[in-house]
Amino acid sequence: MYRYRRLLAVIVFLGLLLAVFQFSGLRSNFNLAFLHQKFLDNEASGLLIFIVLFALGNLIQIPGWIFLAAAVLALGEVWGGVATYIAAVISCVFTFWVIRLVGGDVLRQIKGRWATRLLARLDAHPVKSIVLLRLLLQTVPALNYALALSGVRFRSYLVGTLLGLPLPIALYCAFFDYLARALHVPGY
């Protein structure tokens, strides 16, 4: 019964957080135009706002590509990619610790062959598994939640995240750079 309370606590926490952002109007700041303008206003404070919004956005299911596109449009392909990589890693770490604090390793307590088999594979090769998951799913919030609740060691989570994010971020940066040039985005 204890495991279900921890899982319910995570669901309630995320629901309340989403409600606060939705009803306060803060969720409207999670858009391409707002993020782009913050970078243009001041790159240093814009980067800090970008990181904070990316971390909070990851908790409330805002897709990471919005942040990446804003960074590429404001800073260019290379520096936008660097800013996104830094923000994505911080966001994933923040999400990991918040969800781990609320839910612990609740997925370890679920009984069943399927859960046991998945966790055994994660335990056998945690860094390799996380790198592969990052290559496929990047910063998808559900992935961050599942890994935090899986009981995987933070060190493995961090190393897998650091190694798994550069390639997809670089590919997305090239794509958004190409798109901005092809569409003749003003100021780009």
Side-chain angles (χ1 to χ4, degrees), residues 49 62 79-80 85 100-101 144 173-174:
I49 291 168
I62 303 295
W79 289 112
Y85 178 71
R100 175 69 60 93
L101 178 69
N144 293 326
C173 284

Side-chain angles (χ1 to χ4, degrees), residues 112-148:
R113 286 192 327 237
W114 189 73
T116 304
R117 200 173 17 208
L118 281 175
L119 290 173
R121 288 184 183 171
L122 181 62
D123 291 341
H125 304 286
V127 173
K128 183 178 169 183
S129 298
I130 294 168
V131 167
L132 180 60
L133 289 167
R134 289 289 181 214
L135 287 170
L136 297 173
L137 302 171
Q138 296 85 46
T139 62
V140 169
L143 172 61
N144 293 326
Y145 305 159
L147 289 171

Side-chain angles (χ1 to χ4, degrees):
M1 192 59 158
Y2 172 75
R3 68 178 169 249
Y4 297 113
R5 279 188 276 167
R6 293 294 296 260
L7 196 52
L8 182 61
V10 170
I11 293 167
V12 168
F13 170 75
L14 292 173
L16 287 173
L17 188 64
L18 181 59
V20 165
F21 274 82
Q22 187 67 38
F23 295 123
S24 69
L26 290 172
R27 189 173 167 111
S28 64
N29 290 334
F30 292 92
N31 63 59
L32 192 57
F34 177 81
L35 293 167
H36 182 249
Q37 189 58 46
K38 286 301 163 196
F39 274 122
L40 294 179
D41 290 346
N42 183 331
E43 287 182 9
S45 66
L47 180 61
L48 183 59
I49 291 168
F50 177 73
I51 291 170
V52 169
L53 288 176
F54 200 130
L56 292 173
N58 202 280
L59 274 174
I60 61 169
Q61 303 286 325
I62 303 295
W65 68 264
I66 292 172
F67 298 96
L68 187 133
V72 169
L73 291 175
L75 303 174
E77 184 179 0
V78 174
W79 289 112
V82 170
T84 300
Y85 178 71
I86 291 167
V89 169
I90 291 170
S91 172
C92 289
V93 166
F94 177 73
T95 301
F96 179 91
W97 283 115
V98 169
I99 298 301
R100 175 69 60 93
L101 178 69
V102 175
D105 63 351
V106 71
L107 294 182
R108 293 259 170 214
Q109 300 164 21
I110 294 175
K111 305 298 180 216
R113 286 192 327 237
W114 189 73
T116 304
R117 200 173 17 208
L118 281 175
L119 290 173
R121 288 184 183 171
L122 181 62
D123 291 341
H125 304 286
V127 173
K128 183 178 169 183
S129 298
I130 294 168
V131 167
L132 180 60
L133 289 167
R134 289 289 181 214
L135 287 170
L136 297 173
L137 302 171
Q138 296 85 46
T139 62
V140 169
L143 172 61
N144 293 326
Y145 305 159
L147 289 171
L149 297 172
S150 74
V152 70
R153 290 180 39 220
F154 175 70
R155 181 183 176 282
S156 298
Y157 178 83
L158 180 60
V159 171
T161 298
L162 290 169
L163 295 174
L165 285 178
L167 180 61
I169 288 174
L171 292 174
Y172 279 119
C173 284
F175 172 72
F176 283 117
D177 180 66
Y178 170 78
L179 201 57
R181 291 178 196 282
L183 297 175
H184 307 289
V185 173
Y188 192 77

